[in-house]
Amino acid sequence: MIKAQLIPAFLVTIVLTVLCGLGFPILVGMLGQAFFPYQANGSLIVRDGRVVGSELIGQAFHSEQYFHGRPSAAGAGYDALASGGTNLGPTSRKLILGNADDPATPDTDESYNGITDLALEYRRENGLDPEVPLPADAVTHSGSGLDPHISPRNAELQLLRVARARKLAPEEVRRIVRDHTVNRFLGIFGDPGVNVLAVNLELDRLAQR
Amino acid sequence: MNIHGLSEILLYFMAILLLTAPMGILLFNVFEGRIPFGLRILRPLELLIYRVCRVDPRATMRWQEYSAALLIFSLAGALLSYALLRLQGWLPLNPQAFGAAEVTPDLAFNTAVSFTTNTNWQSYVPEATVSMFSNMLALAMHNWMSAAAGMAVAVALSRGFSRADTDDLGNFWVDLVRGSLYVLFPIALLAALAFVHSGAPQNFSAPQTIRTLEGAQQIVPQGPVASQEAIKQLGTNGGGYFNANSAHPYENPTAASDLLTKILIFLIPAGLTYMFGKMVGNQGQGWALFGAMGALFIAGALVCYGFEQAGNPHLAQLGIAMSADESQPGGNMEGKETRFGIAASALFASVTTAASCGAVNSMHDSFTPIGGLVPLFNILSGEAIFGGVGAGLYGMLMFVVLAIFIAGLMVGRTPEYVGKKIGRYEVQMAMLALLVCAFSILGFSALSSTYDLPQDSAWNRVGSSAAYYGAPRNNVNNAGSHGLSEMIYAFASATGNNGSAFAGITANTPFYNLTLGVAMLAGRFLMILPLLAMAGSLVRKKRIPESAGTFPTDSITFAALLVGTILIVGALTFFPGLALGPIVEHFQLHQLTLQ
């Protein structure tokens, strides 16, 4: 009973492995490269002949003339080799209050910014009063750590800072933000998001003109 | 909760409802050997595979042969994966030069078992561990093979009910090849192209090194993502190309791809209920199963969405908006992506755990306690709420046997289902499958949360690093009740062959790799074997005509009884564990306790 199935088992394993494991990805690769080459190659954005990013992968932004993405738990922030979230639970002291550096271990830095710190920092950067409610995405870490989007409210709260730093009219910056906002699919599925990298690239382009 | 989120969940479910019958008809025809017209061009390939593999497609199998074929096939696949993973350093398509140092023997064992059993638990960080070659030939190929094998088992069990006075459960190889060629392949191909269109890469290039706008360096891995994405969802496997899985913008770039993902996950499990109805000649039987699954699923999704949207009281205290409006998401956004928002993330969590898929578009570990309890409960219910490809139908039929047994006890008659008498042997087999799962989940959780390993034990060390964890309970990322939830979730996910995680737990140590591997094997094969034995016993029985005393199983009453059985069995078995984990954490959260 077992013997009779041995040979088919090994042969089917080999044949299906080659067909499904190799044949299928190559077939999809050929079709994908033929019909949607931009997406199939990672949606890379080229500026002045150099790849400056992928439309889909968020980048870390710190300077005040750029819109900032969400807090990221991928490596030291937006590390595409270490995608992931904090995996801290809702009652985690570390998540809410953060950690201080432990003076007993001078070699390692245990300090960690909790959501309390992130909220303070966000308010300070954008000159917001404590009464202004913050959008949740501004102070929470995304699931991938590479989230390319922020919520429209998050962008609106950063808008005056960016406009001031770039000496632009807020209305002009707002137009750029609107142009790079992705709406819900069919008006129902998912949430609207502003592509941070696309907006920042557009702002740079405007500055060069 | 708001109108957008609710309509998102209900419209999704309606789409599944609409696709159930067409999918069921396709499955029925394929497994009855009536190949649909457009797919007949693949017929020569099917015959060629039989010839090359020395399979006699006309041979029939008793349950013992069917089981033997399945077991040897799974063993062969697992051995192949183990070998390829350990040897990846010598194999092509490896631009990041990963070798055996990344894939230690315990990790290779865990990973090979994980993909063979349709679990796709990942103890490792894919983009820093496995090559493109390993991804395709050691791992992604199981997305087809384990799914096709699961479907075959469900079909064989259905034949146990639909055939009478015979030994013949069909031919495992024929069911396997037909399921792959005529069901998985065409749908996966279309879906893969849709994924490429929405932005998932499909290339064989080395990682892209990028100078960001602020001048920093960012290295972005590439690879055949779209093809893996399509089959990992359709086959309810769930193993990610990247660590962040379907939260990663390359795996799941848009809200549209997210919707497609969720439809792919439920497509075959939902269709199988219709196929079952068609096989036993009464569509009502199929819809009763679908109804029980649908009721449990919708209830879970709404609870999960409600608690995630209500958010975290700690954040509300900090002046962070917890209710949504047109321009911001509100709710518990920790571990969630902006483009999906709360509702699509909560729905995804419910879908992927109900269907035993295990892909995630948000980090379940960061869910609110009750929001995270829903995915955990879905897994604990034993892959019965739609469930994995194949596993869902056979898991549900296990509960059917128990429900019908309980109903029989209540009315004092010999239980029967779709014309087959359910005897002592069937009930014993169903109970055996159920108890194995409970024992594995609770036993291993208890072991990891209480067992003391010495501080320097090699059993709890990550890879070749010097980082020792000591007792297994130290591997959790969160303290107190949430840490216990991480351990219960890990063993529930492994035993239920789900593969999602409260991912904070560090599982890449020999202790966890081995225990989780054993849990996955138990959850897959010690569930399949009793159920195939049951099929073998059923298929020999005569069909008895319906009488006035027959309890109608194509009714809402029966669907309700089925739901009750699942809830009671789940609650009685796992309530103590859940009470110490998510339930206690819920009260801690609302008292603003931190841990």
Side-chain angles (χ1 to χ4, degrees), chain A residues 42 70 83 86 89 91 141 147, chain B residues 127 243 334-336 338 478 585:
Chain A
R70 299 177 59 189
S83 63
T86 59
T91 54
H141 312 75
D147 194 341
Chain B
E127 54 264 54
N243 188 45
E334 181 66 30
K336 296 190 179 63
T338 308
N478 288 272
E585 195 191 7

Side-chain angles (χ1 to χ4, degrees), chain B residues 248-289:
Chain B
H248 197 292
Y250 267 172
E251 288 202 24
N252 194 358
T254 62
S257 67
D258 190 58
L259 176 65
L260 173 66
T261 298
K262 286 182 279 206
I263 289 178
L264 287 174
I265 296 175
F266 265 6
L267 194 56
I268 295 178
L272 281 170
T273 63
Y274 191 90
M275 180 203 76
F276 178 76
K278 227 169 147 53
M279 280 177 79
V280 298
N282 177 353
Q283 224 49 73
Q285 305 287 0
W287 285 119
L289 299 183

Side-chain angles (χ1 to χ4, degrees), chain B residues 90-421:
Chain B
W90 285 276
L91 295 167
L93 284 173
N94 186 8
Q96 286 156 285
F98 295 132
E102 280 82 10
V103 193
T104 51
D106 56 299
L107 178 62
F109 162 75
N110 181 285
T111 307
V113 165
S114 167
F115 280 75
T116 307
T117 55
N118 198 273
T119 310
N120 293 26
W121 169 274
Q122 292 167 299
S123 283
Y124 56 93
V125 175
E127 54 264 54
T129 312
V130 290
S131 69
M132 262 184 241
F133 189 87
S134 301
N135 244 316
M136 290 172 5
L137 280 114
L139 305 180
M141 91 327 182
H142 280 300
N143 292 352
W144 300 81
M145 297 181 354
S146 67
M151 262 196 287
V153 172
V155 170
L157 184 56
S158 304
R159 288 184 187 130
F161 286 103
S162 69
R163 295 178 179 177
D165 296 314
T166 172
D167 269 340
D168 171 18
L169 281 182
N171 182 312
F172 176 73
W173 305 115
V174 172
D175 291 339
L176 184 82
V177 170
R178 288 195 178 148
S180 309
L181 273 188
Y182 302 123
V183 180
L184 297 178
F185 173 69
I187 302 175
L189 183 61
L190 292 178
L193 292 177
F195 275 112
V196 181
H197 175 258
S198 71
Q202 183 73 17
N203 59 50
F204 301 93
S205 319
Q208 273 286 343
T209 304
I210 288 167
R211 268 274 299 277
T212 68
L213 293 200
E214 290 195 341
Q217 193 189 50
Q218 191 184 38
I219 299 172
V220 183
Q222 303 288 320
V225 181
S227 58
Q228 181 165 334
E229 206 55 32
I231 189 62
K232 96 171 198 204
Q233 312 297 5
L234 182 65
T236 67
N237 300 280
Y241 197 90
F242 300 103
N243 188 45
N245 208 297
S246 286
H248 197 292
Y250 267 172
E251 288 202 24
N252 194 358
T254 62
S257 67
D258 190 58
L259 176 65
L260 173 66
T261 298
K262 286 182 279 206
I263 289 178
L264 287 174
I265 296 175
F266 265 6
L267 194 56
I268 295 178
L272 281 170
T273 63
Y274 191 90
M275 180 203 76
F276 178 76
K278 227 169 147 53
M279 280 177 79
V280 298
N282 177 353
Q283 224 49 73
Q285 305 287 0
W287 285 119
L289 299 183
F290 183 95
M293 292 173 170
L296 284 164
F297 165 70
I298 286 283
L302 291 179
V303 169
C304 185
Y305 170 48
F307 279 92
E308 287 309 295
Q309 187 65 67
N312 185 335
H314 288 292
L315 269 63
Q317 271 205 330
L318 295 171
I320 296 157
M322 284 291 113
S323 59
D325 62 41
E326 272 311 298
S327 61
Q328 52 93 16
N332 178 23
M333 280 300 283
E334 181 66 30
K336 296 190 179 63
E337 298 284 296
T338 308
R339 62 193 179 282
F340 307 139
I342 302 286
S345 301
L347 178 61
F348 198 113
S350 307
V351 169
T352 191
T353 49
S356 169
C357 175
V360 295
N361 82 346
S362 55
M363 296 302 135
H364 295 182
D365 212 348
S366 296
F367 274 32
T368 60
I370 305 298
L373 174 63
V374 168
L376 181 54
F377 183 84
N378 282 347
I379 300 174
L380 292 173
S381 74
E383 316 182 52
I385 311 175
F386 290 103
V389 164
L393 183 62
Y394 63 68
M396 195 49 138
L397 288 173
M398 173 185 85
F399 278 109
V400 162
V401 168
L402 293 181
I404 213 80
F405 173 63
I406 293 168
L409 286 180
M410 289 196 285
V411 297
R413 284 183 161 275
T414 311
E416 56 189 77
Y417 182 63
V418 294
K420 291 289 177 99
K421 274 206 160 56

Side-chain angles (χ1 to χ4, degrees), chain B residues 24-40 43 46 159 174-175 178 182-183 275 278-279:
Chain B
I25 292 169
L26 172 70
L27 288 162
F28 177 78
N29 284 335
V30 165
F31 288 110
E32 289 286 302
R34 290 200 293 266
I35 310 307
F37 182 71
L39 296 173
R40 278 183 210 155
R43 180 82 178 146
E46 183 195 345
R159 288 184 187 130
V174 172
D175 291 339
R178 288 195 178 148
Y182 302 123
V183 180
M275 180 203 76
K278 227 169 147 53
M279 280 177 79

Side-chain angles (χ1 to χ4, degrees), chain A residues 133-172:
Chain A
L134 300 184
D137 64 293
V139 292
T140 52
H141 312 75
S142 61
S144 63
L146 304 171
D147 194 341
H149 298 110
I150 54 177
S151 70
R153 174 71 52 80
N154 187 347
E156 182 64 32
L157 292 179
Q158 298 187 37
L159 195 142
L160 290 178
R161 180 200 83 220
V162 174
R164 201 175 314 119
R166 290 185 174 261
K167 302 191 172 63
L168 287 170
E171 216 25 69
E172 184 142 29

Side-chain angles (χ1 to χ4, degrees), chain A residues 90-93, chain B residues 314 585 587-595:
Chain A
T91 54
S92 159
R93 182 181 304 278
Chain B
H314 288 292
E585 195 191 7
F587 293 108
Q588 289 175 313
L589 179 65
H590 286 273
Q591 288 180 335
L592 296 175
T593 311
L594 290 173
Q595 52 184 359

Side-chain angles (χ1 to χ4, degrees), chain A residues 60-143:
Chain A
F61 288 104
H62 305 286
S63 115
E64 62 169 3
Q65 52 167 340
Y66 286 125
F67 281 90
H68 299 177
R70 299 177 59 189
S72 161
Y78 289 94
D79 179 351
L81 289 175
S83 63
T86 59
N87 286 313
L88 292 170
T91 54
S92 159
R93 182 181 304 278
K94 182 176 172 190
L95 178 70
I96 306 294
L97 300 178
N99 275 348
D101 190 14
D102 182 359
T105 51
D107 302 342
T108 48
D109 181 10
E110 289 91 357
S111 67
Y112 184 86
N113 280 341
I115 291 181
T116 312
D117 309 303
L118 295 171
L120 276 175
E121 174 81 6
Y122 186 87
R123 288 184 198 280
R124 192 184 52 72
E125 268 177 12
N126 298 298
L128 302 173
D129 293 333
E131 294 83 59
V132 179
L134 300 184
D137 64 293
V139 292
T140 52
H141 312 75
S142 61

